[in-house]
Amino acid sequence: MKQNVHFITFTTADLDAARRFYRDALGWRPLADVPDEILFFQVAPGVVLGLFRSDKFSRDLPGSTERTGVSGVTLSHNVDSREEVRSVVEAMASGGGTVLKEPQPGEFGGVFHAHVRDPNGIVWEIAHNPGWHVDQDGTVLFS
């Protein structure tokens, strides 16, 4: 198996809340939006974030009807400055997100970051990390 991921899919009890958060508050453009079913956003070259209505997801993957929330997982969005961390966190909060950790210096690696839970329980880390960047060919480099 090649070392890559093409779709990251989370279930959502409230697809409309997800739409308001990602599309309306953050300004993301949906790749596909199937009302009352699933919402897709391209988040990187060849990578799609899917938000799948919980009951429909459970029909697609039998035995997955229990919804306990997302735990022990974060999605990270890296930005170019501390000010941009603050700005993105404000946009997320205005769109129904819950700020779990206000923007502040992190404990590791010189990062400045915050954590926000979206309306469906997905925790996002918004970070400025001067020791991290993506090369022109898409390779992630740590210095």
Side-chain angles (χ1 to χ4, degrees):
M1 179 174 155
K2 292 181 181 177
Q3 185 174 321
N4 55 38
V5 174
H6 298 103
F7 283 84
I8 300 167
T9 304
F10 292 100
T11 66
T12 177
D14 190 340
L15 190 59
D16 291 330
R19 187 177 291 106
R20 286 188 302 272
F21 183 79
Y22 290 97
R23 186 193 67 193
D24 300 342
L26 299 183
W28 287 16
R29 289 188 334 253
L31 180 64
D33 186 347
V34 181
D36 295 320
E37 189 172 314
I38 196 163
L39 186 58
F40 289 115
F41 295 97
Q42 183 166 351
V43 294
V47 181
V48 174
L49 174 67
L51 299 161
F52 202 161
R53 207 173 94 177
S54 298
D55 59 333
K56 303 272 177 115
F57 181 86
S58 294
R59 288 189 357 225
D60 191 45
L61 182 61
S64 66
T65 57
E66 244 183 79
R67 185 170 190 273
T68 58
V70 179
S71 176
V73 174
T74 60
L75 297 180
S76 295
H77 177 70
N78 291 289
V79 297
D80 293 329
S81 69
R82 290 175 174 224
E83 294 74 31
E84 195 173 352
V85 170
R86 291 181 187 98
S87 175
V88 171
V89 168
E90 287 174 16
M92 291 177 129
S94 74
T98 302
V99 178
L100 303 175
K101 182 178 190 177
E102 293 289 339
Q104 60 189 270
E107 294 185 40
F108 312 101
V111 68
F112 182 83
H113 67 158
H115 289 96
V116 179
R117 182 175 44 235
D118 84 353
N120 298 294
I122 299 167
V123 176
W124 283 87
E125 176 190 37
I126 308 305
H128 169 62
N129 184 344
W132 176 93
H133 74 277
V134 179
D135 211 359
Q136 287 184 351
D137 70 356
T139 301
V140 173
L141 301 170
F142 294 102
S143 54

